[in-house]
Amino acid sequence: MAGFLTWVSQSGVVQGIIIGATFAFLTAVLVMNAVIKTVSTTVNGWSVIRACGRPENGVLVRAACAKALPVVNVFEEAAYWTATKDGSGQGLSGSQDYILHFPPGQLPPNDAFWSLTVTDIVGYMVDNPINRSSIDDGSELVENSDGSIDIYLQRAAPGGREQNWLPTPAGKFKLMLRAYLPGTEILDDKYQVPPIMRIQ
């Protein structure tokens, strides 16, 4: 066994296979990232991919969708927006406080429900003091006097606004907004998710 391991460690063929496999993997990641950019649209810092889940998609689009949004439904069943940057193009970070302001009547239109989830940059839920990783249409959000809704994205509780607080992790993070059975305005590409704004 020791002789075999010595041969493997010194074999140019084995090392070539390992290097080749590594380059193949990295190339595949670069190709999928490029494909994701071609099938996604970004507005106000929110990216949406409308093509995922369709049976007519080619192998590259399917692979790119699986990388970006694993186990995704077709857009007509569930619309997904993701954001890793705020409205000014800067990366989302727990060192900053943010607000997501929905004008009156501008929560994601749907025939089922919507939800906003915060995760780390990879996509894993992160512990927080109130065990809340998402806000949805059942969260009984408090409206402003004009009927608009502000969602506070920050590490520390916003004084007096805890009902509309979605705690963020310490480092970089990602947001995902979903609308299940999206409304006509979403399907017709007329709805825009508002930008995530830094609180100064």
Side-chain angles (χ1 to χ4, degrees), residues 39 48-57 61-62 64-81 112-113 115 176-182 186-187:
V39 297
V48 63
I49 304 174
R50 301 175 70 93
C52 291
R54 305 202 177 283
E56 67 269 17
N57 286 342
V61 173
R62 289 184 185 186
C65 286
K67 180 179 183 292
L69 296 168
V71 197
V72 70
N73 295 312
V74 293
F75 194 77
E76 291 77 10
E77 292 181 4
Y80 302 81
W81 296 267
F113 68 95
S115 69
M176 179 174 281
L177 179 65
R178 302 175 179 90
Y180 291 91
L181 298 182
I186 294 175
L187 296 177

Side-chain angles (χ1 to χ4, degrees), residues 14-163:
V14 173
Q15 292 176 9
I17 291 172
I18 293 170
I19 292 170
T22 302
F23 277 121
F25 172 78
L26 294 175
T27 301
V29 169
L30 292 174
V31 169
M32 284 188 287
N33 287 342
V35 172
I36 288 170
K37 287 182 180 179
T38 65
V39 297
S40 65
T41 304
T42 302
V43 177
N44 293 333
W46 292 93
S47 296
V48 63
I49 304 174
R50 301 175 70 93
C52 291
R54 305 202 177 283
E56 67 269 17
N57 286 342
V59 172
L60 286 178
V61 173
R62 289 184 185 186
C65 286
K67 180 179 183 292
L69 296 168
V71 197
V72 70
N73 295 312
V74 293
F75 194 77
E76 291 77 10
E77 292 181 4
Y80 302 81
W81 296 267
T82 57
T84 56
K85 296 180 180 179
D86 62 23
S88 67
Q90 298 182 65
L92 297 175
S93 169
S95 63
Q96 300 290 328
D97 294 343
Y98 304 93
I99 190 168
L100 181 57
H101 175 79
F102 289 95
Q106 289 301 301
L107 288 171
N110 66 86
D111 292 323
F113 68 95
W114 65 267
S115 69
L116 175 67
T117 304
V118 61
T119 66
D120 65 15
I121 202 69
V122 178
Y124 293 109
M125 304 293 181
V126 180
D127 290 334
N128 63 72
I130 58 172
N131 294 318
R132 179 187 294 163
S133 59
S134 67
I135 282 180
D136 56 41
D137 55 0
S139 297
E140 299 181 0
L141 299 172
V142 177
E143 295 184 354
N144 298 318
S145 58
D146 64 354
S148 64
I149 290 179
D150 293 325
I151 296 176
Y152 296 88
L153 305 158
Q154 54 194 67
R155 291 189 66 200
R161 301 179 179 98
E162 288 82 359
Q163 190 67 25

